[in-house]
């Protein structure tokens, strides 16, 4: 078990490399990876089950201790990124399928990797964990509503169907993971040690499946999508920081809010797009998965050197 834990930690630390490597392999050898497309939803369910194994009531204590800070993070997450996605889609006159894909990413809750990046940034980790947990639990209601609001002018949206999908993909696996942890503590603790490895394999497989399934479209529009994703992620990080600063958060909390806002659960975006829209709509989520694992460590390094000015 100790060996598995070491392998898991190594793979988790080199996550970005594996995502980039297999995205490239899937692009150049799509036929070898297309079969993974059938498993996108269950793969994300496995990741969310793993999140359920790590969730505890303590993750929500910040809601009662610092409701204002948590509210700023949650509101920032669900306002800044969807609005940015809509503005980019309209301003750059993106094709409908790509526009919907960008908006899907923007409407998703925060990704769990944001907690690690906040730690590396010397940010407020308890706040980051709480905001991730709250936005994830709110996602079945908020995400379909936001997609309906911002994407319906491009394609028809069935908000009820989206809600049910997110419940199946996110909430039910998290609840099952939490129940498993509650009643089978020792096996759950062993499972947690393997989580970085399992999560990395699942995300890499999702990205590879999306890239392979849309290889031709990516060849035609990949540069546009990549540019939009970089803008979306970069502006999200910046506006998240400024949002926290404007509302009086300290430096550590600003870092947490910035990273929470800028880093999305792009796996959920890919799963929703694959289930309800076109394969091309899943591409922004796949590229976001690649990019935010490059931008995240860079931003974390910059933030780790930033401190509150002496009063």
């Amino acid at each position: 078990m100790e060996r598995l834990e070491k392998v898991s930690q190594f793979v988790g630390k080199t996550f970005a490399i594996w995502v980039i490597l297999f995205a490239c392999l899937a692009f150049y050898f799509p036929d070898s990876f297309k079969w993974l497309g059938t498993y996108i939803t269950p793969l994300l369910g496995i990741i969310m089950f793993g999140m359920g194994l790590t969730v505890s009531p303590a993750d929500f204590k910040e809601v009662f201790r610092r409701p204002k800070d948590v509210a700023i993070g949650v509101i920032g997450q669900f306002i800044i990124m969807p609005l940015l996605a809509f503005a980019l889609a309209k301003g750059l006159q993106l094709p409908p399928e790509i526009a919907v894909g960008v908006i899907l990413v923007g409407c998703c809750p925060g990704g769990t990797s944001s907690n690690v990046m906040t730690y590396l940034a010397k940010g407020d980790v308890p706040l980051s964990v709480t905001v991730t947990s709250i936005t994830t639990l709110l996602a079945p209601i908020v995400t379909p509503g936001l997609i309906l609001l911002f994407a319906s002018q491009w394609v028809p949206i069935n908000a009820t169907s989206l809600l049910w999908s997110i419940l199946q993909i996110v909430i039910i696996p998290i609840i099952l993971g939490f129940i498993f942890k509650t009643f089978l503590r020792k096996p759950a603790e062993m499972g947690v040690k393997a989580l970085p490895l399992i999560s990395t394999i699942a995300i890499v497989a999702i990205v590879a499946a999306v890239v392979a399934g849309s290889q031709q479209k990516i060849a035609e529009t990949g540069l546009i999508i990549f540019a939009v994703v970089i803008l979306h992620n970069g502006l999200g990080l910046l506006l998240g920081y400024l949002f926290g600063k404007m509302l009086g958060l300290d430096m550590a909390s600003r870092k947490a809010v910035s990273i929470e806002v800028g880093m999305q659960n792009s796996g959920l975006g890919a799963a929703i797009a694959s289930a309800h829209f076109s394969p091309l709509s899943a591409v922004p989520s796949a590229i976001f998965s690649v990019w935010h694992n490059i931008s995240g460590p860079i931003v974390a390094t910059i933030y780790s050197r930033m401190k509150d000015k002496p009063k």
Side-chain angles (χ1 to χ4, degrees):
M1 191 66 199
E2 186 178 342
R3 191 172 181 180
L4 176 62
E5 187 177 358
K6 287 181 179 178
V7 172
S8 182
Q9 288 174 351
F10 170 75
V11 171
K13 289 176 182 176
T14 54
F15 180 57
I17 295 170
W18 298 110
V19 173
I20 294 166
L21 173 62
F22 278 89
C24 292
L25 288 172
F27 182 80
Y28 288 106
F29 307 102
D31 291 339
S32 300
F33 295 91
K34 282 182 180 177
W35 62 274
L36 289 168
T38 309
Y39 302 100
I40 289 176
T41 296
L43 284 167
L44 187 61
I46 290 169
I47 295 170
M48 292 297 104
F49 179 84
M51 182 178 175
L53 292 179
T54 64
V55 168
S56 71
D59 294 340
F60 300 93
K61 66 182 180 182
E62 300 300 305
V63 175
F64 305 101
R65 197 166 74 85
R66 295 184 294 164
K68 175 193 168 186
D69 295 3
V70 173
I72 290 170
V74 172
I75 292 168
Q77 173 71 60
F78 283 132
I79 288 182
I80 292 172
M81 289 303 269
L83 282 174
L84 274 176
F86 181 76
L88 288 169
K90 291 291 284 185
L92 298 175
Q93 297 182 329
L94 297 177
E97 291 172 302
I98 298 174
V100 170
V102 172
I103 288 170
L104 276 177
V105 177
C107 296
C108 285
T112 52
S113 57
S114 61
N115 308 149
V116 178
M117 293 304 134
T118 300
Y119 170 76
L120 296 175
K122 298 180 181 176
D124 191 332
V125 176
L127 176 61
S128 175
V129 170
T130 300
V131 172
T132 299
S133 301
I134 295 292
T135 56
T136 300
L137 293 177
L138 290 175
I141 301 297
V142 178
T143 297
L146 290 171
I147 294 171
L148 179 65
L149 177 65
F150 290 110
S152 56
Q153 66 176 274
W154 282 282
V155 294
I157 304 294
N158 186 332
T160 304
S161 179
L162 288 174
L163 185 152
W164 177 233
S165 285
I166 297 172
L167 281 172
Q168 288 178 297
I169 296 169
V170 177
I171 301 302
I172 292 174
I174 288 176
I175 291 171
L176 290 175
F178 182 76
I179 292 170
F180 187 88
K181 172 189 173 182
T182 303
F183 293 101
L184 297 166
R185 186 167 295 276
K186 285 188 178 179
E189 287 173 357
M190 292 174 65
V192 167
K193 292 178 181 178
L195 270 182
L197 176 61
I198 295 168
S199 297
T200 299
I201 291 172
I203 286 291
V204 165
I206 290 170
V207 171
V210 172
V211 171
S214 304
Q215 190 264 358
Q216 188 175 351
K217 291 286 187 179
I218 292 173
E220 297 169 2
T221 61
L223 287 176
I224 297 171
I225 300 174
F226 209 92
V228 172
V229 165
I230 291 174
L231 274 172
H232 194 196
N233 174 239
L235 288 171
L237 290 164
L238 175 62
L239 293 178
Y241 180 87
L242 294 176
F243 186 62
K245 183 177 182 180
M246 179 181 71
L247 294 175
L249 296 184
D250 61 27
M251 179 63 76
S253 298
R254 279 182 240 159
K255 294 174 184 178
V257 170
S258 168
I259 293 169
E260 280 301 314
V261 170
M263 298 187 73
Q264 304 293 89
N265 186 341
S266 47
L268 176 60
I272 292 173
S274 299
H276 297 275
F277 303 102
S278 70
L280 184 58
S281 295
V283 173
S285 293
I287 293 178
F288 204 103
S289 290
V290 176
W291 174 249
H292 80 186
N293 285 290
I294 298 171
S295 66
I298 294 170
V299 169
T301 301
I302 294 169
Y303 279 175
S304 68
R305 299 171 184 170
M306 295 169 59
K307 299 177 181 178
D308 270 319
K309 293 179 181 178
K311 294 182 181 179

